[in-house]
Structures are given as C-alpha cells and as structure tokens.
Amino acid sequence: MPNSEFILIVDDNPTNLSVLSQALKSAGFAVRVAEDGESAIELVQHKPPVLILLDVQMPGIDGFETCQKLKADPITQSIPIIFMTALADTENKVKGLSLGAVDYIPKPFEQAEVIARVQMHLQLKQLTDDLEQRVIERTAALKQAQVQLVQQEKLSMLGQLVAGVAHEMNNPISCIVSNLPPAQEYVTDLSKILQLCQQHYEQLPEVIQDAIAQTDLEFLLEDLPKLLNSMQVSAQRIEDISVSLRNFARTDTSAKVKFDVHEGLDSTLLILRHRLKGFGARPEIQILKQYAALLKVECYPGQLNQVFMNILANAVDALEDVWQQKKRADDSLIIKISTEMSSPKDLTIRIADNGIGMTDEVRQRMFDSLFTTKAVGKGTGLGLAIAHQIIVEKHGGAIKVNSTLNQGTEFVIILPL
C-alpha cells in the first residue's frame, strides 16, 4: 500500500482499536483510528482512507448513521465500509448492506479473518477503479471515433457535392472559353466587311441601304468587340470559380502535401460569397485581408479547408446575430483574416469578426463534442470539435480563441510547416 493510503478504524472500544491496529500494521497496512462517528467523518473529509472498519454500536451517531452520512457525500461515497458488530442478526446485516457497506465482520473477530477480508475488499476496490478508468477511456475513444466518423462523412459529402458541381461546370465553361477567340476573329472579319459597306454605301443595293439606315451600324461596330471582351472576362471568372471549387474539395491522400493556405482561405470565401452579400437592411459583410508571404505547409488540404469553412461560417452567423440583436451602435460587419510566419517553423492564421462574441462559459466549452449554442436544427455541436481535432491531432498545431461578449471573436490557428 502506498505511504499516503491508510485504513481507518472507527470504534469506541480502545482494546478493539489497539488489537485491530496492531494486526493491520503487522500485515503492512497504514492505520488511523477514530473513537466516534463525528471525528471519523471529520477525518475522512480532511483525508479520505482507502477503506473503513466501522463499529455499529457507538455513542453519539452510531455506525449506521455514520455510514449513511459518508455515502451521501460524493467525495466519500466510494470508500468501502466494513461493519464490525456483535449484532449478527439478519435484520442488522441487511440494514448495513442497504446503506452501502460492503461486508460484515462479527465480534469477537479473528485477526486473520479481518486481514483476509480487508485484503479482498481492497483488491475489489482496485479492480473497480481500474474498470471505471477503462470505461472512461473507452467512452472517450468512442466519442473520438464518432467525431472522426462525422468528420469523414462531412468531408466526403461536401467533397462529392463541390467536386460534382465543379465537374458539371467544367464542360460548358471550356466550350465558352475555347470558342470565344475564334468568335472574336469572325467578328473582326465581319466588322471589316461592314466598314467597307459603309464606305461604299451609295453603290449598294437599295435593300441593303435601307437595312444600314435602320441600324446604328457605327455604334454596333464599336460596341460588339467590347461585348465579346466582357464575355471573355466573365468566362474567365467562372473558370476561376471552378478551379477554386476543385481546390476546396480536393481529396486528401494518406500523406500530407504542400499547400498554400491562402488558396484554401480564398476558395472558402468564394463558396461563402453569397452569405457575405448584403441582404435587405443588413449591409454587406466586409472581408479585410492581411496576407503575409508564407511558405507552403505540409497538411491535408481538404481537412484544413473544412476548418476554414467552419470558422468563417460561424463568423458570418455571429455577425448576423449581432446585427439582428442590435447589440452594437456601429453597423459595420467585418471579418478580418491575417496570416504571418510566427516562427521559421510555424505559420499563424487569424480569423476575427466583430460579431456577437462569447461568454467565458461558452468559450471554455466551445471545442467540446456535441456542445452548441445554436437553435435546434441549426447546429450539431461537432464543427469546432472536429476543427480542434484536425488542427491539434492531425496536424500537430494549436487552435485558440479570444472573445469578448458583444465585441467579437478571434480564432488563432498555428500550423507547423
């Protein structure tokens, strides 16, 4: 038995205390004694023993009441209690066991029997503690497995959806982009012909002269190339969106790859663009970027993008909440994203909003699995738990949060290169 652990003997009979103490000490146990229930309870609350030998018949509060008080206290309720009594009738035994005692030792007692029973119950207590610890560890492992499964399912579904959209966009975009250059050449040739027609207007057949007269040909020849250029710029924009979608939904391999976090942030912002626009009286959410020159980080890009998506989507929710609740006189809604090389081996990403903020209680629990402050149906309580797991466990980084109620929240992500 470790030096800090001891057995408490509670008995109003000095002879019993002496005999039991000597017997247990000779068997290698550390022992403390108390002569009544009140002093026993006071001693136990100050320093809990590993086991209590408790006499039933004592002055003041008897053994039954002492046991009842100890079992009612969460701090002492798990301590094994063995009653010592000359009352060997069934009624008293049942009463003691129903109050939480683990065993009875009849008086007069045999020292060998007492030692054997004490050893047996200490072993049972150790086995019980070990089992409880294993249950706690297994429960934690199952919870972690649940979070991982949800994470994998979300990544899979989101990746399939975004990749599918990007794939469907790819063919018509490619068609438009590839056909615009020859279309511009054809228009240039037609423009030359029409300009010649303008120069020789009086020599043309009357029907063609009438058609030119009814059409502002000069404006048409000037504006048509501009229209084609605008179409080319828009087609290029759609192509860039398609590339961003594919980058966001890229499938992670079993090994980490070099990745530009700015690319991931910009792809995520592109997908959230519809939520950033002004809606009704609510103004547009402004995105302020302060990107530093960064080295590429070895990571799982798809999982990292999922973290960005969750944090940025939560920032939009917080800004919408502060707008609806009018908690701030300033109407500006801002998300600020900054990056820096915090050390030669680490980079830091900060995502801050001037939204509703958090209480200290929420901030302390925000990475707990299944914890959410959102209404039923609007949050699962797994988003930030998964984000924490991705950054800390998958990438060996750190994720922290700074928040003040009604002022805003900042997430700080530190990633090793």
Side-chain angles (χ1 to χ4, degrees):
M1 178 182 290
N3 294 333
S4 60
E5 296 182 345
F6 65 93
I7 294 171
L8 175 63
I9 305 171
V10 186
D11 199 319
D12 63 327
N13 187 316
T15 303
N16 289 341
L17 288 177
S18 176
V19 172
L20 278 175
S21 295
Q22 290 300 322
L24 291 172
K25 287 178 180 178
S26 64
F29 296 108
V31 176
R32 291 190 181 184
V33 298
E35 296 184 351
D36 55 59
E38 289 91 343
S39 57
I41 292 173
E42 184 178 352
L43 191 154
V44 169
Q45 289 176 340
H46 176 68
K47 187 173 180 62
V50 293
L51 183 141
I52 300 173
L53 290 169
L54 181 60
D55 186 25
V56 172
Q57 295 177 307
M58 293 184 297
I61 61 172
D62 63 10
F64 291 141
E65 189 174 352
T66 302
C67 177
Q68 192 172 19
K69 288 180 179 294
L70 291 172
K71 292 300 179 182
D73 188 338
I75 299 175
T76 59
Q77 64 182 2
S78 63
I79 301 172
I81 296 176
I82 300 176
F83 276 127
M84 303 180 297
T85 181
L87 303 174
D89 60 280
T90 302
E91 182 179 351
N92 280 288
K93 287 183 178 180
V94 171
K95 181 179 180 180
L97 294 172
S98 66
L99 291 174
V102 295
D103 203 352
Y104 255 96
I105 297 177
K107 292 182 179 180
F109 44 73
E110 295 290 336
Q111 293 184 19
E113 180 184 2
V114 173
I115 293 172
R117 287 177 183 266
V118 167
Q119 289 175 333
M120 178 188 69
H121 286 293
L122 286 176
Q123 290 174 355
L124 287 174
K125 179 66 167 56
Q126 184 61 50
L127 290 172
T128 301
D129 291 344
D130 291 344
L131 181 59
E132 288 178 353
Q133 183 61 35
R134 290 180 64 183
V135 169
I136 291 171
E137 292 172 355
R138 183 61 59 86
T139 302
L142 288 173
K143 184 181 288 187
Q144 185 177 17
Q146 178 196 30
V147 171
Q148 289 176 339
L149 287 172
V150 173
Q151 171 198 338
Q152 291 169 0
E153 185 65 19
K154 287 179 71 175
L155 272 176
S156 176
M157 291 178 65
L158 183 61
Q160 290 175 16
L161 174 63
V162 175
V165 172
H167 178 74
E168 291 300 320
M169 289 172 61
N170 192 52
N171 288 337
I173 292 169
S174 298
C175 178
I176 294 171
V177 170
S178 60
N179 285 328
L180 273 173
Q184 288 176 318
E185 292 180 9
Y186 298 158
V187 168
T188 301
D189 293 340
L190 289 172
S191 295
K192 291 178 181 178
I193 294 172
L194 289 173
Q195 286 170 353
L196 289 172
C197 289
Q198 266 190 317
Q199 293 171 11
H200 302 282
Y201 177 79
E202 295 179 354
Q203 301 174 14
L204 295 174
E206 187 174 344
V207 63
I208 297 178
Q209 292 183 29
D210 291 342
I212 292 175
Q214 294 174 12
T215 304
D216 190 349
L217 188 58
E218 188 173 346
F219 173 77
L220 186 150
L221 292 173
E222 180 184 352
D223 195 51
L224 187 55
K226 295 179 181 177
L227 290 177
L228 288 172
N229 285 333
S230 297
M231 293 169 63
Q232 187 171 30
V233 171
S234 298
Q236 186 61 52
R237 172 65 177 157
I238 298 172
E239 191 173 36
D240 291 343
I241 292 172
S242 178
V243 171
S244 294
L245 289 174
R246 291 198 297 272
N247 287 337
F248 179 84
R250 59 192 297 172
T251 303
D252 291 332
T253 60
S254 57
K256 295 179 181 178
V257 297
K258 294 280 189 180
F259 180 61
D260 182 354
V261 297
H262 292 158
E263 182 182 300
L265 288 165
D266 291 340
S267 298
T268 308
L269 287 171
L270 184 68
I271 293 173
L272 287 172
R273 189 174 180 181
H274 69 287
R275 295 197 61 193
L276 303 176
K277 295 178 179 179
F279 181 77
R282 197 211 78 187
E284 180 180 1
I285 296 174
Q286 303 174 51
I287 302 295
L288 304 181
K289 298 180 185 177
Q290 292 183 349
Y291 287 174
L294 299 181
L295 298 174
K296 290 188 175 182
V297 61
E298 286 190 1
C299 66
Y300 302 103
Q303 295 185 22
L304 208 56
N305 286 339
Q306 185 185 1
V307 174
F308 297 154
M309 173 64 77
N310 186 271
I311 293 176
L312 286 167
N314 283 346
V316 174
D317 290 340
L319 291 170
E320 290 179 342
D321 287 344
V322 81
W323 170 259
Q324 291 172 1
Q325 298 177 28
K326 302 296 182 184
K327 294 286 189 180
R328 204 178 54 241
D330 183 10
D331 287 342
S332 63
L333 303 178
I334 300 172
I335 295 176
K336 181 180 178 181
I337 306 173
S338 61
T339 60
E340 63 177 341
M341 292 297 301
S342 47
S343 78
K345 295 183 179 180
D346 300 293
L347 61 84
T348 298
I349 305 159
R350 299 177 185 272
I351 302 175
D353 65 71
N354 62 339
I356 197 70
M358 308 177 192
T359 63
D360 289 339
E361 180 185 1
V362 171
R363 187 168 50 82
Q364 290 170 4
R365 296 189 59 196
M366 60 184 303
F367 293 119
D368 292 351
S369 179
L370 303 180
F371 174 75
T372 180
T373 59
K374 296 179 181 178
V376 176
K378 290 189 176 181
T380 61
L382 290 172
L384 287 176
I386 291 173
H388 185 273
Q389 187 182 79
I390 289 172
I391 297 299
V392 177
E393 297 180 22
K394 292 284 188 178
H395 291 88
I399 180 169
K400 305 173 184 177
V401 61
N402 306 309
S403 185
T404 303
L405 192 62
N406 298 325
Q407 292 187 24
T409 300
E410 179 189 53
F411 281 88
V412 182
I413 300 171
I414 301 171
L415 289 172
L417 294 178

